[in-house]
Amino acid sequence: MRYSQVAFILLCFYASSSFGLEVISSSETQKLQEIEQKYNIDSLLISANDKLSTHKKKESDYYALSVEIKSKQTEYEHLVSKLPTRILSRSNLDSFYKELETLVLKIDQLETKYDIDGKSLKREYKSIMAEYDVINNTRTNKDEQLAALKSEITKRVIADVSKPDTVQSVDLDGSTLCSKFQSINDCLKDSESYIVTNTIKTDPFLNERSVLLSYDVVDASMNMSGNLNYKIKMAFKPSYNSKIDSLINEQLGLKSAMITLVSNVAADWFVDGIKIGTGRELFHEVPLGQHGILASYQSEDKSSVEFIQGNGVFSYNFNNTAQNNDMVTLPKSDHKKQTMKMKPKPTDMLNSNVNASTNKPKKSMQDKGYEYFMGIEPATAEQKESFDSSPSAKL
């Protein structure tokens, strides 16, 4: 019937369900909390993240020191190149030698500091990575405990749903829009398949193999506009399925999430001490739980410890002045003044065609009788030939 088809299309489903089975029991929840407390890595992550941020700033200073050494070496080479001339001229040799000696000692001092700082940075980085190793080992041990707990939960749920007398009862409070020409019974009958299908989709203990044991309409009422409110009680034979497994993983934090790291500059990105890339926007998959995130750009760092519960975006912006370093400077080009000029015809041709031209309509700028140029050079040989030829040759 046509009206029943319209009612099915406009069907709205609002349900509140009560599930008799538990995905995670209260005792299992208690075990989960104990694991979380035992393997808490918040303080370790904060400490390691702060040390890594300080280390990145020292690396920036270390690089600046190498630039200074190179500058002093260039200055030394410049002075040495003048040495023969100064010896031959014998002018202020003492002060020249003194300046050269001072520069050599300064370079030696900087190179000594560079060597000491470099070794210190290596030791410091190794120590920081050791802290992250402790964090990762703690996280691994935690995952092992969670995996063991998941195994216990899975075995318990499978045993529960496999019992012959186990029934999953679902109570629904829903509404749908019926045709004004339908009765309550007809509308409920047309909607029954949709209601059962959506109940199976939303209940974690039901799937396409679940058997509908009972379907009872407890109450139903419809107003003059065709809005039908109903209460339905259903019973199914439950079965273990992928929805249960997904819920267990989610509640135990065994799932992964995709995080998006965004900055206003091309920053270096670190997650748990490991560099994952450079750019303004990066995507990285991490397991659920605590993670240290650090963005480094030049001598600045932004870092935080985040509790990842699902996909998310984390933004770390730097000062606007730093953005100028990412700008691309285009080479300067000479902009010639553009002028419009008309290539004149030869004088003898003008005299011979003066009468003919008076009888012809004037040609517009788009006509081929006149050639207009915008002050540009010909790009091809054909354009050059076209520019150099007389207008009469083209007519």
Side-chain angles (χ1 to χ4, degrees):
M1 187 170 69
R2 179 179 179 184
Y3 294 115
S4 63
Q5 292 176 353
V6 173
F8 184 77
I9 293 173
L10 298 177
L11 184 65
C12 300
F13 187 75
Y14 303 100
S16 61
S17 306
S18 59
F19 308 128
L21 295 169
E22 291 180 310
V23 176
I24 297 183
S25 65
S26 57
S27 61
E28 291 161 349
T29 301
Q30 180 64 31
K31 288 182 180 179
L32 175 60
Q33 293 174 351
E34 292 173 358
I35 293 173
E36 294 286 353
Q37 293 174 0
K38 182 178 179 180
Y39 297 99
N40 189 292
I41 57 175
D42 290 2
S43 58
L44 296 176
L45 268 176
I46 293 172
S47 175
N49 227 38
D50 289 343
K51 289 179 181 178
L52 182 61
S53 177
T54 303
H55 178 80
K56 298 302 296 181
K57 292 177 181 178
K58 290 181 180 179
E59 282 186 345
S60 179
D61 295 337
Y62 185 68
Y63 174 76
L65 180 60
S66 69
V67 173
E68 184 180 2
I69 291 173
K70 187 175 181 179
S71 175
K72 294 297 182 182
Q73 289 173 341
T74 302
E75 186 179 348
Y76 169 78
E77 292 172 359
H78 180 68
L79 281 178
V80 170
S81 66
K82 292 182 177 181
L83 183 57
T85 304
R86 298 296 293 267
I87 292 176
L88 293 175
S89 65
R90 297 184 178 277
S91 59
N92 298 325
L93 283 177
D94 292 340
S95 62
F96 182 81
Y97 287 142
K98 185 65 176 177
E99 182 180 0
L100 194 61
E101 179 185 2
T102 302
L103 187 57
V104 169
L105 293 174
K106 181 63 175 178
I107 293 174
D108 180 69
Q109 177 187 359
L110 293 175
E111 288 178 339
T112 301
K113 178 176 173 54
Y114 185 80
D115 183 61
I116 294 173
D117 290 353
K119 293 177 180 179
S120 175
L121 284 173
K122 288 181 181 179
R123 289 193 302 269
E124 184 178 76
Y125 183 75
K126 185 177 181 180
S127 174
I128 295 172
M129 290 300 103
E131 291 189 27
Y132 278 110
D133 288 340
V134 172
I135 293 171
N136 292 330
N137 290 335
T138 304
R139 186 178 280 131
T140 300
N141 293 333
K142 177 183 176 181
D143 290 342
E144 291 176 355
Q145 294 295 317
L146 291 175
L149 178 59
K150 179 188 175 181
S151 180
E152 293 180 15
I153 295 172
T154 302
K155 290 179 181 178
R156 191 262 308 162
V157 174
I158 292 176
D160 288 346
V161 299
S162 300
K163 293 176 181 178
D165 58 345
T166 300
V167 175
Q168 179 70 340
S169 299
V170 181
D171 297 324
L172 294 180
D173 290 329
S175 65
T176 185
L177 181 62
C178 305
S179 167
K180 296 180 181 179
F181 302 94
Q182 282 184 299
S183 66
I184 294 178
N185 288 335
D186 288 340
C187 187
L188 285 172
K189 185 176 180 181
D190 290 339
S191 306
E192 180 176 341
S193 176
Y194 177 85
I195 293 172
V196 172
T197 300
N198 276 274
T199 301
I200 292 175
K201 287 182 180 179
T202 55
D203 191 311
F205 293 96
L206 304 178
N207 62 4
E208 63 278 359
R209 296 190 302 273
S210 300
V211 179
L212 177 63
L213 302 176
S214 64
Y215 182 91
D216 298 319
V217 179
V218 178
D219 187 22
S221 61
M222 184 169 63
N223 60 21
M224 297 299 294
S225 300
N227 293 317
L228 174 65
N229 296 312
Y230 57 82
K231 292 183 179 181
I232 298 175
K233 186 176 182 63
M234 289 178 282
F236 295 84
K237 180 58 184 175
S239 60
Y240 190 89
N241 59 82
S242 59
K243 290 185 291 184
I244 299 176
D245 192 71
S246 179
L247 278 175
I248 294 174
N249 287 337
E250 184 176 347
Q251 295 193 33
L252 296 183
L254 295 175
K255 293 180 66 176
S256 62
M258 184 65 68
I259 59 173
T260 305
L261 305 174
V262 180
S263 179
N264 59 337
V265 296
D268 294 328
W269 294 96
F270 297 82
V271 175
D272 296 335
I274 305 299
K275 184 176 180 179
I276 61 169
T278 302
R280 292 174 179 265
E281 183 180 56
L282 266 69
F283 303 94
H284 188 65
E285 187 175 6
V286 297
L288 301 184
Q290 297 280 5
H291 294 278
I293 302 174
L294 184 142
S296 177
Y297 182 74
Q298 295 182 350
S299 59
E300 289 190 71
D301 296 293
K302 305 284 185 179
S303 66
S304 65
V305 173
E306 303 290 346
F307 182 67
I308 309 298
Q309 295 179 298
N311 297 343
V313 179
F314 299 93
S315 180
Y316 299 78
N317 289 329
F318 293 82
N319 294 333
N320 293 330
T321 54
Q323 295 186 32
N324 297 330
N325 296 319
D326 286 348
M327 295 177 62
V328 178
T329 304
L330 298 175
K332 294 182 178 180
S333 58
D334 296 327
H335 298 282
K336 296 182 180 180
K337 183 179 181 181
Q338 293 185 345
T339 58
M340 181 181 291
K341 45 184 183 177
M342 183 177 69
K343 188 174 181 180
K345 291 184 177 182
T347 305
D348 54 348
M349 186 176 293
L350 289 173
N351 294 333
S352 62
N353 295 334
V354 63
N355 294 327
S357 64
T358 56
N359 297 327
K360 291 182 180 180
K362 287 187 176 181
K363 294 181 179 289
S364 64
M365 292 178 64
Q366 290 79 13
D367 293 333
K368 294 183 178 179
Y370 296 95
E371 298 290 340
Y372 290 91
F373 304 97
M374 298 300 295
I376 60 174
E377 298 294 334
T380 63
E382 293 180 357
Q383 289 182 358
K384 187 175 187 307
E385 182 180 354
S386 175
F387 289 178
D388 293 341
S389 61
S390 62
S392 58
K394 296 189 174 187
L395 293 175

